Amino acid sequence: MAEEEEKERIVIPDEDGNEHLFDILFTFDADESEQSYIVVIPSSDADNEEVEVFAFRYEEEGEGDESDINLFPIESDEEWEMVEEMVNTYSANEME
């Protein structure tokens, strides 16, 4: 039986202030825009075959264990296309 690696997790509050736990699928930096992105799924859905994937642009403040991540919505179609391409590549690699 394969050992399951421990996933990184992040807590993201919703608009009502309720906190939700998400598993981080991956992060990446876009060379052309020099922006960083994070792709997550709800931790409660991690074992389901169909899950809703969320993506954000992010910026880190601080260093090491004291760093905070600020999330920003992805607003442009160009950003969404780039993120979708990265998610599709990630999904294809996971299925191999």
Side-chain angles (χ1 to χ4, degrees):
M1 188 156 116
E3 228 178 273
E4 189 171 317
E5 71 180 64
E6 190 171 318
K7 296 186 187 266
E8 279 190 81
R9 293 192 164 156
I10 185 172
V11 174
I12 302 174
D14 62 19
E15 52 277 338
D16 296 325
N18 300 314
E19 294 183 341
H20 301 277
L21 187 62
F22 289 83
D23 290 341
I24 299 174
L25 291 180
F26 62 92
T27 61
F28 68 96
D29 297 323
D31 293 334
E32 58 277 353
S33 66
E34 298 182 3
Q35 299 291 328
S36 298
Y37 297 89
I38 187 168
V39 179
V40 299
I41 60 171
S43 291
S44 59
D45 291 346
D47 295 330
N48 295 341
E49 278 197 30
E50 286 194 31
V51 296
E52 189 170 4
V53 176
F54 297 90
F56 301 93
R57 184 174 56 79
Y58 77 94
E59 295 175 1
E60 284 190 71
E61 286 184 0
E63 294 185 25
D65 291 340
E66 300 298 315
S67 68
D68 285 326
I69 296 177
N70 295 318
L71 301 177
F72 302 94
I74 297 173
E75 297 174 344
S76 75
D77 290 340
E78 293 82 18
E79 279 183 302
W80 272 119
E81 289 171 11
M82 176 189 53
V83 169
E84 285 178 349
E85 185 176 319
M86 293 299 290
V87 169
N88 291 338
T89 300
Y90 174 84
S91 296
N93 289 338
E94 285 295 304
M95 295 182 122
E96 291 179 355

Short mmCIF file of all heavy atoms in Angstrom, two decimals, residues 2-42:
data_model
loop_
_atom_site.label_atom_id
_atom_site.label_comp_id
_atom_site.label_asym_id
_atom_site.label_seq_id
_atom_site.Cartn_x
_atom_site.Cartn_y
_atom_site.Cartn_z
N ALA A 2 0.58 2.18 -0.83
CA ALA A 2 1.38 3.40 -0.96
C ALA A 2 1.16 4.30 0.24
O ALA A 2 0.05 4.41 0.76
CB ALA A 2 1.03 4.14 -2.24
N GLU A 3 2.24 4.93 0.66
CA GLU A 3 2.15 5.87 1.76
C GLU A 3 1.53 7.16 1.26
O GLU A 3 1.93 7.69 0.23
CB GLU A 3 3.56 6.16 2.26
CG GLU A 3 3.69 6.05 3.75
CD GLU A 3 5.10 6.30 4.18
OE1 GLU A 3 5.88 5.34 4.21
OE2 GLU A 3 5.41 7.47 4.47
N GLU A 4 0.55 7.66 1.99
CA GLU A 4 -0.09 8.92 1.58
C GLU A 4 0.71 10.08 2.13
O GLU A 4 0.99 10.15 3.32
CB GLU A 4 -1.52 8.96 2.11
CG GLU A 4 -2.31 10.10 1.54
CD GLU A 4 -3.79 10.01 1.91
OE1 GLU A 4 -4.34 8.91 1.84
OE2 GLU A 4 -4.34 11.06 2.27
N GLU A 5 1.11 10.98 1.24
CA GLU A 5 1.88 12.13 1.70
C GLU A 5 0.94 13.15 2.35
O GLU A 5 -0.21 13.28 1.98
CB GLU A 5 2.67 12.76 0.56
CG GLU A 5 1.82 13.49 -0.46
CD GLU A 5 2.65 14.08 -1.57
OE1 GLU A 5 3.28 13.31 -2.30
OE2 GLU A 5 2.64 15.31 -1.69
N GLU A 6 1.48 13.82 3.34
CA GLU A 6 0.69 14.82 4.05
C GLU A 6 0.56 16.07 3.18
O GLU A 6 1.53 16.59 2.67
CB GLU A 6 1.37 15.18 5.36
CG GLU A 6 0.51 16.01 6.26
CD GLU A 6 1.11 16.18 7.63
OE1 GLU A 6 1.63 15.20 8.16
OE2 GLU A 6 1.05 17.30 8.15
N LYS A 7 -0.67 16.52 3.02
CA LYS A 7 -0.93 17.68 2.17
C LYS A 7 -0.80 18.96 2.98
O LYS A 7 -1.11 19.00 4.15
CB LYS A 7 -2.33 17.59 1.58
CG LYS A 7 -2.52 16.42 0.66
CD LYS A 7 -3.88 16.50 0.01
CE LYS A 7 -4.16 15.25 -0.77
NZ LYS A 7 -3.86 15.28 -2.12
N GLU A 8 -0.34 20.00 2.28
CA GLU A 8 -0.36 21.32 2.90
C GLU A 8 -1.79 21.82 2.90
O GLU A 8 -2.54 21.59 1.95
CB GLU A 8 0.51 22.29 2.10
CG GLU A 8 1.97 22.19 2.40
CD GLU A 8 2.72 23.33 1.76
OE1 GLU A 8 2.74 24.44 2.34
OE2 GLU A 8 3.27 23.11 0.69
N ARG A 9 -2.15 22.52 3.95
CA ARG A 9 -3.51 23.03 4.07
C ARG A 9 -3.49 24.51 4.38
O ARG A 9 -2.52 25.05 4.89
CB ARG A 9 -4.26 22.27 5.16
CG ARG A 9 -4.47 20.82 4.76
CD ARG A 9 -5.42 20.15 5.66
NE ARG A 9 -5.87 18.92 5.01
CZ ARG A 9 -6.33 17.90 5.67
NH1 ARG A 9 -6.43 17.95 6.97
NH2 ARG A 9 -6.73 16.82 5.02
N ILE A 10 -4.61 25.13 4.05
CA ILE A 10 -4.78 26.57 4.29
C ILE A 10 -6.22 26.80 4.74
O ILE A 10 -7.14 26.12 4.28
CB ILE A 10 -4.45 27.37 3.00
CG1 ILE A 10 -4.50 28.87 3.25
CG2 ILE A 10 -5.35 26.98 1.85
CD1 ILE A 10 -4.00 29.70 2.08
N VAL A 11 -6.41 27.74 5.64
CA VAL A 11 -7.74 28.12 6.10
C VAL A 11 -8.11 29.41 5.38
O VAL A 11 -7.36 30.39 5.40
CB VAL A 11 -7.77 28.33 7.63
CG1 VAL A 11 -9.13 28.87 8.07
CG2 VAL A 11 -7.45 27.03 8.35
N ILE A 12 -9.29 29.40 4.73
CA ILE A 12 -9.76 30.57 3.99
C ILE A 12 -11.13 30.95 4.53
O ILE A 12 -12.05 30.13 4.50
CB ILE A 12 -9.85 30.29 2.48
CG1 ILE A 12 -8.49 29.86 1.94
CG2 ILE A 12 -10.38 31.52 1.74
CD1 ILE A 12 -8.51 29.42 0.48
N PRO A 13 -11.28 32.18 5.03
CA PRO A 13 -12.59 32.61 5.51
C PRO A 13 -13.50 32.99 4.33
O PRO A 13 -13.03 33.48 3.31
CB PRO A 13 -12.28 33.83 6.38
CG PRO A 13 -10.98 34.35 5.86
CD PRO A 13 -10.24 33.17 5.29
N ASP A 14 -14.80 32.73 4.49
CA ASP A 14 -15.75 33.16 3.45
C ASP A 14 -16.21 34.58 3.76
O ASP A 14 -15.74 35.21 4.71
CB ASP A 14 -16.92 32.18 3.32
CG ASP A 14 -17.77 32.06 4.58
OD1 ASP A 14 -17.72 32.95 5.45
OD2 ASP A 14 -18.50 31.05 4.70
N GLU A 15 -17.15 35.09 2.97
CA GLU A 15 -17.58 36.47 3.13
C GLU A 15 -18.31 36.72 4.45
O GLU A 15 -18.43 37.85 4.90
CB GLU A 15 -18.45 36.94 1.95
CG GLU A 15 -19.61 36.06 1.60
CD GLU A 15 -19.25 34.87 0.71
OE1 GLU A 15 -18.22 34.88 0.02
OE2 GLU A 15 -20.01 33.89 0.74
N ASP A 16 -18.77 35.63 5.12
CA ASP A 16 -19.43 35.77 6.41
C ASP A 16 -18.46 35.59 7.58
O ASP A 16 -18.87 35.61 8.74
CB ASP A 16 -20.56 34.74 6.54
CG ASP A 16 -21.66 34.98 5.50
OD1 ASP A 16 -21.93 36.16 5.19
OD2 ASP A 16 -22.23 33.99 5.02
N GLY A 17 -17.20 35.35 7.27
CA GLY A 17 -16.20 35.17 8.32
C GLY A 17 -16.03 33.73 8.79
O GLY A 17 -15.24 33.46 9.68
N ASN A 18 -16.81 32.80 8.20
CA ASN A 18 -16.66 31.38 8.55
C ASN A 18 -15.40 30.83 7.90
O ASN A 18 -15.15 31.06 6.72
CB ASN A 18 -17.88 30.57 8.07
CG ASN A 18 -19.16 31.07 8.69
OD1 ASN A 18 -19.24 31.31 9.88
ND2 ASN A 18 -20.17 31.26 7.86
N GLU A 19 -14.60 30.09 8.68
CA GLU A 19 -13.35 29.56 8.16
C GLU A 19 -13.55 28.18 7.55
O GLU A 19 -14.27 27.35 8.11
CB GLU A 19 -12.31 29.51 9.28
CG GLU A 19 -11.93 30.88 9.78
CD GLU A 19 -10.85 30.86 10.83
OE1 GLU A 19 -10.63 29.80 11.45
OE2 GLU A 19 -10.21 31.90 11.03
N HIS A 20 -12.89 27.94 6.41
CA HIS A 20 -12.98 26.67 5.71
C HIS A 20 -11.57 26.16 5.44
O HIS A 20 -10.68 26.93 5.05
CB HIS A 20 -13.74 26.83 4.39
CG HIS A 20 -15.13 27.35 4.59
ND1 HIS A 20 -16.19 26.55 4.92
CD2 HIS A 20 -15.62 28.62 4.56
CE1 HIS A 20 -17.28 27.29 5.05
NE2 HIS A 20 -16.96 28.56 4.83
N LEU A 21 -11.38 24.85 5.61
CA LEU A 21 -10.08 24.23 5.42
C LEU A 21 -9.96 23.72 3.98
O LEU A 21 -10.85 23.05 3.47
CB LEU A 21 -9.90 23.07 6.40
CG LEU A 21 -8.54 22.40 6.45
CD1 LEU A 21 -7.46 23.40 6.88
CD2 LEU A 21 -8.58 21.21 7.40
N PHE A 22 -8.84 24.06 3.32
CA PHE A 22 -8.58 23.66 1.95
C PHE A 22 -7.24 22.95 1.86
O PHE A 22 -6.29 23.30 2.57
CB PHE A 22 -8.53 24.89 1.02
CG PHE A 22 -9.87 25.53 0.81
CD1 PHE A 22 -10.37 26.44 1.72
CD2 PHE A 22 -10.62 25.23 -0.31
CE1 PHE A 22 -11.61 27.04 1.52
CE2 PHE A 22 -11.86 25.83 -0.53
CZ PHE A 22 -12.35 26.73 0.40
N ASP A 23 -7.16 21.95 0.98
CA ASP A 23 -5.89 21.31 0.65
C ASP A 23 -5.27 22.07 -0.51
O ASP A 23 -5.96 22.38 -1.50
CB ASP A 23 -6.10 19.85 0.21
CG ASP A 23 -6.53 18.95 1.35
OD1 ASP A 23 -6.32 19.32 2.52
OD2 ASP A 23 -7.06 17.86 1.07
N ILE A 24 -3.98 22.36 -0.42
CA ILE A 24 -3.29 23.03 -1.50
C ILE A 24 -2.87 21.99 -2.53
O ILE A 24 -2.14 21.06 -2.21
CB ILE A 24 -2.04 23.79 -0.97
CG1 ILE A 24 -2.47 24.86 0.03
CG2 ILE A 24 -1.26 24.40 -2.14
CD1 ILE A 24 -1.30 25.56 0.72
N LEU A 25 -3.38 22.12 -3.75
CA LEU A 25 -2.97 21.22 -4.83
C LEU A 25 -1.59 21.59 -5.33
O LEU A 25 -0.71 20.76 -5.44
CB LEU A 25 -3.97 21.24 -5.98
CG LEU A 25 -5.34 20.64 -5.72
CD1 LEU A 25 -6.20 20.74 -6.97
CD2 LEU A 25 -5.22 19.20 -5.26
N PHE A 26 -1.42 22.87 -5.66
CA PHE A 26 -0.13 23.35 -6.10
C PHE A 26 -0.13 24.87 -6.15
O PHE A 26 -1.19 25.51 -6.11
CB PHE A 26 0.27 22.77 -7.47
CG PHE A 26 -0.66 23.12 -8.60
CD1 PHE A 26 -0.43 24.24 -9.38
CD2 PHE A 26 -1.76 22.33 -8.89
CE1 PHE A 26 -1.28 24.57 -10.42
CE2 PHE A 26 -2.61 22.64 -9.94
CZ PHE A 26 -2.37 23.77 -10.71
N THR A 27 1.06 25.43 -6.22
CA THR A 27 1.25 26.86 -6.44
C THR A 27 2.15 27.01 -7.66
O THR A 27 2.89 26.08 -8.00
CB THR A 27 1.90 27.55 -5.23
OG1 THR A 27 3.19 26.98 -5.00
CG2 THR A 27 1.05 27.43 -3.98
N PHE A 28 2.07 28.15 -8.31
CA PHE A 28 2.96 28.40 -9.43
C PHE A 28 3.11 29.90 -9.63
O PHE A 28 2.29 30.68 -9.18
CB PHE A 28 2.47 27.72 -10.72
CG PHE A 28 1.19 28.28 -11.28
CD1 PHE A 28 1.23 29.24 -12.30
CD2 PHE A 28 -0.04 27.86 -10.82
CE1 PHE A 28 0.05 29.76 -12.84
CE2 PHE A 28 -1.23 28.37 -11.34
CZ PHE A 28 -1.17 29.32 -12.35
N ASP A 29 4.21 30.25 -10.29
CA ASP A 29 4.48 31.64 -10.64
C ASP A 29 4.37 31.80 -12.14
O ASP A 29 4.87 30.95 -12.89
CB ASP A 29 5.89 32.05 -10.20
CG ASP A 29 6.06 31.98 -8.69
OD1 ASP A 29 5.10 32.32 -7.97
OD2 ASP A 29 7.14 31.57 -8.23
N ALA A 30 3.72 32.85 -12.58
CA ALA A 30 3.60 33.14 -14.01
C ALA A 30 4.77 34.04 -14.40
O ALA A 30 4.93 35.14 -13.85
CB ALA A 30 2.28 33.83 -14.30
N ASP A 31 5.58 33.57 -15.34
CA ASP A 31 6.76 34.31 -15.76
C ASP A 31 6.42 35.67 -16.35
O ASP A 31 7.05 36.67 -16.01
CB ASP A 31 7.57 33.51 -16.79
CG ASP A 31 8.17 32.26 -16.18
OD1 ASP A 31 8.41 32.25 -14.96
OD2 ASP A 31 8.42 31.30 -16.93
N GLU A 32 5.41 35.70 -17.22
CA GLU A 32 5.10 36.94 -17.93
C GLU A 32 4.56 38.04 -17.02
O GLU A 32 4.85 39.20 -17.19
CB GLU A 32 4.16 36.70 -19.11
CG GLU A 32 2.84 36.05 -18.77
CD GLU A 32 2.89 34.53 -18.64
OE1 GLU A 32 3.92 33.93 -18.95
OE2 GLU A 32 1.86 33.96 -18.21
N SER A 33 3.77 37.68 -16.01
CA SER A 33 3.18 38.69 -15.13
C SER A 33 3.91 38.81 -13.79
O SER A 33 3.63 39.73 -13.02
CB SER A 33 1.71 38.37 -14.88
OG SER A 33 1.60 37.18 -14.14
N GLU A 34 4.79 37.85 -13.51
CA GLU A 34 5.50 37.79 -12.23
C GLU A 34 4.53 37.72 -11.05
O GLU A 34 4.84 38.20 -9.96
CB GLU A 34 6.48 38.96 -12.10
CG GLU A 34 7.57 38.95 -13.14
CD GLU A 34 8.58 40.07 -12.97
OE1 GLU A 34 8.48 40.85 -12.01
OE2 GLU A 34 9.48 40.15 -13.83
N GLN A 35 3.37 37.11 -11.26
CA GLN A 35 2.38 36.92 -10.21
C GLN A 35 2.45 35.46 -9.73
O GLN A 35 2.85 34.57 -10.46
CB GLN A 35 0.97 37.20 -10.74
CG GLN A 35 0.76 38.60 -11.24
CD GLN A 35 0.76 39.63 -10.13
OE1 GLN A 35 0.36 39.37 -9.01
NE2 GLN A 35 1.24 40.82 -10.45
N SER A 36 2.02 35.24 -8.49
CA SER A 36 1.97 33.89 -7.92
C SER A 36 0.52 33.47 -7.78
O SER A 36 -0.35 34.28 -7.46
CB SER A 36 2.65 33.88 -6.55
OG SER A 36 4.01 34.22 -6.66
N TYR A 37 0.27 32.17 -7.99
CA TYR A 37 -1.08 31.63 -7.93
C TYR A 37 -1.10 30.39 -7.06
O TYR A 37 -0.11 29.65 -6.97
CB TYR A 37 -1.58 31.28 -9.34
CG TYR A 37 -1.68 32.50 -10.22
CD1 TYR A 37 -0.60 32.93 -10.98
CD2 TYR A 37 -2.85 33.25 -10.27
CE1 TYR A 37 -0.67 34.06 -11.77
CE2 TYR A 37 -2.94 34.39 -11.06
CZ TYR A 37 -1.84 34.78 -11.79
OH TYR A 37 -1.93 35.91 -12.57
N ILE A 38 -2.25 30.15 -6.43
CA ILE A 38 -2.45 28.98 -5.60
C ILE A 38 -3.75 28.30 -6.03
O ILE A 38 -4.74 28.98 -6.32
CB ILE A 38 -2.48 29.37 -4.10
CG1 ILE A 38 -2.53 28.13 -3.20
CG2 ILE A 38 -3.62 30.32 -3.79
CD1 ILE A 38 -2.27 28.44 -1.73
N VAL A 39 -3.72 26.97 -6.11
CA VAL A 39 -4.89 26.19 -6.51
C VAL A 39 -5.21 25.25 -5.35
O VAL A 39 -4.34 24.51 -4.88
CB VAL A 39 -4.62 25.40 -7.81
CG1 VAL A 39 -5.83 24.57 -8.20
CG2 VAL A 39 -4.23 26.36 -8.93
N VAL A 40 -6.47 25.30 -4.88
CA VAL A 40 -6.88 24.55 -3.69
C VAL A 40 -8.20 23.82 -3.94
O VAL A 40 -8.95 24.17 -4.85
CB VAL A 40 -7.03 25.48 -2.47
CG1 VAL A 40 -5.72 26.16 -2.13
CG2 VAL A 40 -8.11 26.53 -2.68
N ILE A 41 -8.44 22.80 -3.09
CA ILE A 41 -9.74 22.12 -3.06
C ILE A 41 -10.19 22.04 -1.60
O ILE A 41 -9.35 22.00 -0.70
CB ILE A 41 -9.70 20.70 -3.68
CG1 ILE A 41 -8.71 19.81 -2.93
CG2 ILE A 41 -9.39 20.76 -5.15
CD1 ILE A 41 -8.76 18.36 -3.33
N PRO A 42 -11.50 22.02 -1.35
CA PRO A 42 -11.96 21.87 0.03
C PRO A 42 -11.44 20.55 0.62
O PRO A 42 -11.52 19.51 -0.04
CB PRO A 42 -13.48 21.86 -0.09
CG PRO A 42 -13.77 22.54 -1.40
CD PRO A 42 -12.60 22.19 -2.29
#
